[in-house]
């Protein structure tokens, strides 16, 4: 059950006008911004953005970015973005990380999303950054990892359920031979992983396990595992069984997991509840608060199952989530999160 | 001016019913098929296909394929296909050529089409062949040529007009250095050609010419030019200036040129007229008739400028095109082509 409370009556134009007023003149009226945005569904938020753009020839998100700051800004920003847009922002942040591109984010987005969703992320990326996702990715990476990541990101896989058993068998052998010879960067591995449909790949991975005695993901790791091997490993797990992948990677470090969980239909229930509660617990307990993780869970789940998450959280921690959040946060950020948690 | 004559009144359902009747029972009524399809615009043909599918849960094109044969079948088939569908069929034929993939067709489709059109071809390919275009392409090619072709086909380029001068300059140098060292398969060449927007690439190619004294396409060729170099050469010319490319490649062998010409706005006039007349002349004159080329010109131009083509043809050959076509063809195929030429 969602924790979000939306009004019976809604006018995108009226909301856009009120938000404009809240941003104009001396100081910003954060109370108004919170009272509107934290009570609107994703569809309504989208309509408000369109109305605002039409009325004032200005991007509402950019305006909010310049008016707000800190954790509050980031929370409002994430809340107002579409899922494809959010992925585009996450991908861009991952590519332009100062030290090194965060491969896992790119692999998760490109391998867990269905073909049409990935395409929507690529479109959103172009609209936002005025260049293509693969263009930025290819420029900021090199060598084998570039070959793999660009191939995964540019894939527009067939989405049907047909399986070609013969092909699965022959390609399982190709994969096995390449891995056995420790030729992990073999171009056939990249070809198979980046062009075959997910259903076909699952058949190939099953055939691999049946014919060769152990799973491909196990065979990939070993002593002195390279970054490229690790990337292959993540890609195979995301393509094969995202549910299992996410079960094991219950860590607050993977910033796309939550947003990805939203799109796995079978995931909407108990697994994602437990996962969210773990992330929240990690974010709240310990020295300092992980605002990033806290925002992520609340913002991505408020419209879905945050009320259920709150029930599970209370059972596991004997403290109401609202109370924990109120203790760890302050100011507009606190008000915003508590409103999303259902406080009126 | 188009030569196609369409009726004032049109009902997709009535047409679908009449076509169904023409295909049922003993023998096929080709006259009815011609009288309907050769008097309908692209939009109307599409509506008829949709209506037919809804009424009879059957693909009209597949039915026509099984009822008709020879040149007539191919002409009706091409006439009834959407442009994206036509490209998908051409790409598939090129990939599955018995001897070797016809690289030029793939390069022309992927490099001349705008990003959204290429995407439409990829979607049409999946719908038709139940696998992705890149999947088939990657399976039937290998090595450097595969790297280049798959990268071109999977590109979803940014379509904006911004130019980054600094980037153009640095990437012109990267290209020049790689070509100077005869390292044609350098991964940076493929990265630049397959990810940058067309506007940016034009700036880069101009910068190359200005800074290094000769054009990149000239620098690519030389003694012992490899197939890979030739493929790079075609890609660069298609990306840089498709008009110039098509002017030089006036040959009846390139089976996509005509269909591609349709999509170059500045091309709709005199150049494409002259080109079409040349193709027609080549197809008709000489030993035997090139039905493939004949069909292609008539089918792709009937709705655009076939009447103008007929005028130019008469000026250049002193024989009316209708008369030449009537002499070289026979049966239903002849009737179909002459109807598209405007004969009532």
């Amino acid at each position: 059950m969602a924790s979000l409370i939306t009004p019976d009556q809604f006018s995108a134009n009226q909301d856009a006008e009120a938000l404009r007023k809240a941003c104009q003149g001396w100081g910003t009226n954060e109370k108004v911004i919170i009272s509107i945005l934290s009570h609107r569904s994703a569809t309504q938020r989208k309509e408000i953005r369109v109305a605002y753009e039409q009325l004032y020839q200005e991007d509402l998100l950019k305006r909010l970015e310049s008016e707000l700051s800190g954790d509050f800004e980031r929370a409002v920003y994430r809340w107002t973005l579409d899922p494809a847009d959010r992925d585009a922002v996450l991908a861009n942040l991952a590519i332009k990380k100062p030290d090194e591109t965060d491969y896992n984010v790119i692999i998760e987005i490109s391998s867990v999303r269905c073909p049409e969703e990935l395409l929507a992320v690529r479109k959103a990326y172009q609209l936002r950054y005025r260049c293509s996702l693969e263009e930025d990715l290819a420029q900021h990476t090199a060598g084998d990892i570039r070959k793999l990541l660009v191939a995964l990101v540019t894939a527009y896989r067939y989405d049907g359920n047909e399986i070609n058993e013969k092909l699965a068998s022959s390609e399982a052998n190709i994969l096995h031979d390449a891995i056995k010879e420790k030729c992990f960067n073999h171009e056939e591995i990249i070809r198979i992983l980046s062009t075959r449909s997910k259903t076909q790949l699952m058949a190939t991975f099953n055939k691999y396990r049946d014919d060769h005695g152990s799973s491909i993901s196990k065979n990939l790791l070993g002593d002195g595992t390279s970054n490229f091997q690790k990337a292959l490993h993540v890609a195979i797990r995301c393509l094969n069984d995202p549910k299992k992948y996410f079960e094991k990677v219950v860590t607050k470090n993977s910033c796309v997991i939550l947003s990805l969980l939203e799109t796995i239909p079978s995931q909407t229930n108990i697994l994602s509840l437990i996962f969210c509660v773990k992330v929240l617990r990690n974010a709240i307990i310990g020295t300092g608060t992980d605002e990033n993780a806290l925002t992520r869970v609340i913002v991505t789940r408020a419209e879905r199952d945050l009320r259920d998450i709150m029930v599970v959280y209370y059972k596991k921690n004997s403290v109401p989530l609202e109370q924990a959040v109120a203790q760890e946060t302050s100011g507009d950020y606190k008000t915003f999160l508590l409103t999303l948690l259902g406080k009126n």
Side-chain angles (χ1 to χ4, degrees), chain A residues 64-92:
Chain A
L64 290 175
E65 249 184 311
S66 73
E67 298 288 334
L68 313 177
S69 64
D71 293 323
F72 179 50
E73 177 204 333
R74 278 188 288 277
V76 170
Y77 191 79
R78 289 205 171 167
W79 175 243
T80 317
L81 280 176
D82 283 332
D85 241 351
R86 203 152 51 196
D87 274 1
V89 171
L90 289 173
N92 184 264

Side-chain angles (χ1 to χ4, degrees), chain A residues 204-235:
Chain A
T204 304
F205 299 147
N206 287 339
K207 198 79 188 132
Y208 186 109
R209 190 198 51 221
D210 295 346
D211 289 357
H212 304 287
S214 61
S215 77
I216 179 167
S217 54
K218 263 190 199 147
N219 278 191
L220 263 176
L221 302 182
D223 294 340
T225 303
S226 68
N227 276 343
F228 182 75
Q229 272 166 271
K230 281 182 199 157
L232 272 187
H233 190 246
V234 173

